[in-house]
Each structure stands twice: as C-alpha cells, then as structure tokens.
C-alpha cells in the first residue's frame, strides 16, 4: 500500500486525532483514503501514517518518551517529528538530500543506511519505513540497523514486497506484466518518466527469503512478522507461503536485539 518513504513536507501542523484499533477495517480504510491523496495532500497522508507507525512502536515497546529513536531513510521527516512529539530523542538519517523537502527536522544527517555514523548500541529504537525495497543489499542494511540498536532494543522494519499489488510503486499494478512494460505504460499515461527503475532504486524484495534470513540470525529475535496495513489476521496472512507474497501488501517486521 505504501508508495513512498516520506513525501514532501511543506509545513508542520498539530497532530491529528488518531484512535483506530490495529488491525481494523476502519484503520485500513482511513490509511487507504490518505494514500489516495498522497500527491495532492502529502501533509495529511504522511502525518497520519507517522501517527500510525508511532502507535505501532509504542504497542510493542511502550511509551517513546525519553527514548533514543533512529529513523533511517525517513524522507522529509514526518516519522522523526512524530516521535519527537511523543517525547523521544529522535534523529533522521537520510541518504538522498532530494527526499528531505523544504524544511527537514533539526539535526538531520545525510548518511547511507549501509554505514550509519553511529556507535554500536546507540538507539533504543531503530526505525525504517518502506526503505528495504530501495536498497540493493537488504541483508547489509538490516545488519546496520541491528548494530546501532542496544541489546533489548526494538527494530521496526517495514517494506513493500515486490509481488504486492503496490510492489511497482507508481507503476503498480502493471509490474505484474514486467517492469519495463509497466514503466513504458506509466510514461505514456503521464507524459513523464517514472521515479523508480527496477535494479537501480527499486528492488524485488520477497517475504519468504527475508523471513528466512532474519530468523537465521542469532543477534535478533522476531517479535512479530505481520502485514502493516491488513485489516484482520495481520500475522496469519504472513504464515501462508505463496499467498503472503501477494496478500500481505506490506511486511512489518518487529525485531528485538539480543544480548551479546
């Protein structure tokens, strides 16, 4: 369901009320409606998504107040600012300056997720929303997120899997017919080149291999593997091989860093 990492923030507004049960049809419908206006109202779309993500972090790890949160690849900073509104010491690390928008959060660092300028175990929570499908080496990226998380700390990783209806991002769902065909159709329909190119800034990441790689590690435990947006049975759908590659929409991994 998610198309981008953070949108382009024009101005900071007060947080909007958000009291939806997760998972629920009401929550999923609200997020879907917000995504439909991603281009014309990114402020509303990404503010809502940030509130939802912060609620998920707190559901698994308690209040964010006083915690150190590292947001890796958070675009223009909606997630970072939401974490700060909840009392966290939150910091944005973004590799692409063009993603930062007009006014990124204070103390934003331009840094590659493969090599974060942080000491080991620096963060209580390490957060990455819809970035994994944009990196060529997901295992190295995940290893770096884990490295900077303290023992007992939480790692939140969400990504759009390739066979999801949203896997092709702006040229979805035509990616099912092939990436180049989908990109060509996008250009014909919009008159402009697609933002994403398979093998350059978008990669075919699948749920099964990702779960096997994470579960094989001895430095994290998997707290939850679930659909980020699915309105019911969010963990059950991920347990169904084959079906999960299409039906999950977006995989959310909640990991806990193991003691050394």
């Amino acid at each position: 369901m998610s198309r981008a990492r953070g949108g382009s923030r024009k101005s900071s507004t007060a947080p909007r009320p958000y009291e939806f049960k997760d998972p629920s049809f009401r929550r999923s419908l609200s997020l879907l409606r917000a995504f439909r206006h991603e281009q014309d109202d990114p402020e509303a779309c990404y503010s809502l998504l940030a509130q939802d993500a912060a609620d998920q972090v707190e559901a698994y790890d308690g209040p964010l107040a006083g915690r150190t949160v590292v947001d890796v690849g958070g675009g223009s900073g909606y997630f970072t600012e939401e974490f700060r509104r909840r009392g966290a010491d939150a910091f944005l690390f973004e590799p692409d300056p063009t993603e930062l928008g007009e006014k990124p959060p204070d103390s934003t660092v331009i840094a590659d997720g493969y090599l974060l300028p942080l000491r080991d175990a620096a963060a209580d929570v390490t957060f990455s929303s819809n970035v994994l499908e944009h990196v060529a080496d997901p295992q190295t990226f995940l290893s770096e997120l884990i490295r900077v998380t303290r023992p007992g700390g939480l790692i939140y990783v969400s990504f759009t899997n390739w066979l999801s209806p949203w896997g092709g991002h702006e040229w979805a769902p035509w990616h099912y017919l092939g990436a180049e065909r989908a990109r060509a159709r996008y250009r014909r329909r919009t008159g402009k080149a697609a933002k994403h190119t398979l093998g350059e800034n978008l990669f075919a990441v699948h749920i099964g291999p990702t779960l096997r790689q994470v579960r094989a590690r001895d430095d994290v435990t998997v707290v939850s593997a679930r659909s980020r947006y699915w309105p019911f049975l969010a963990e059950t759908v991920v347990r169904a091989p084959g079906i999960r590659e299409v039906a999950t929409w977006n995989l959310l991994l909640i990991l806990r860093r193991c003691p050394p």
Side-chain angles (χ1 to χ4, degrees), residues 64-238:
L64 283 161
R67 316 289 288 283
T68 298
V69 181
V70 170
D71 178 7
V72 182
S76 56
Y78 285 100
F79 299 109
T80 299
E81 292 198 338
E82 179 63 29
F83 297 146
R84 289 179 179 178
R85 275 193 285 268
R86 300 189 187 209
D89 294 319
F91 303 91
L92 173 61
F93 293 82
E94 170 59 49
D96 186 355
T98 65
E99 292 284 347
L100 291 176
E102 298 174 4
K103 189 180 178 183
D106 294 340
S107 304
T108 294
V109 179
I110 303 298
D112 196 312
Y114 290 136
L115 190 63
L116 294 169
L118 292 169
R119 61 176 173 80
D120 294 354
D124 296 303
V125 177
T126 306
F127 179 89
S128 174
S129 174
N130 298 317
V131 179
L132 200 67
E133 72 266 32
H134 299 291
V135 300
D137 186 353
Q139 288 194 66
T140 298
F141 181 83
L142 287 171
S143 293
E144 187 67 351
L145 299 186
I146 294 165
R147 179 189 69 79
V148 303
T149 308
R150 66 166 177 81
L154 192 82
I155 300 105
Y156 178 114
V157 178
S158 170
F159 70 91
T160 305
N161 46 297
W162 175 244
L163 292 178
S164 157
W166 308 97
H169 286 49
E170 73 272 21
W171 26 275
W174 302 98
H175 64 296
Y176 288 130
L177 302 179
E180 290 307 313
R181 181 178 295 180
R183 279 174 49 82
R185 181 186 182 278
Y186 180 87
R187 179 182 281 277
R188 289 194 305 270
R189 190 170 64 87
T190 65
K192 60 183 180 180
K195 176 181 179 180
H196 296 97
T197 301
L198 189 66
E200 293 183 10
N201 58 0
L202 181 65
F203 298 88
V205 183
H206 302 285
I207 292 174
T210 302
L211 288 177
R212 287 192 292 273
Q213 291 163 7
V214 170
R215 287 168 176 163
R217 302 184 68 109
D218 60 7
D219 52 1
V220 291
T221 57
V222 179
V223 176
S224 180
R226 53 161 290 184
S227 169
R228 183 176 182 180
Y229 306 120
W230 196 244
F232 59 91
L233 301 176
E235 291 190 340
T236 301
V237 69
V238 177

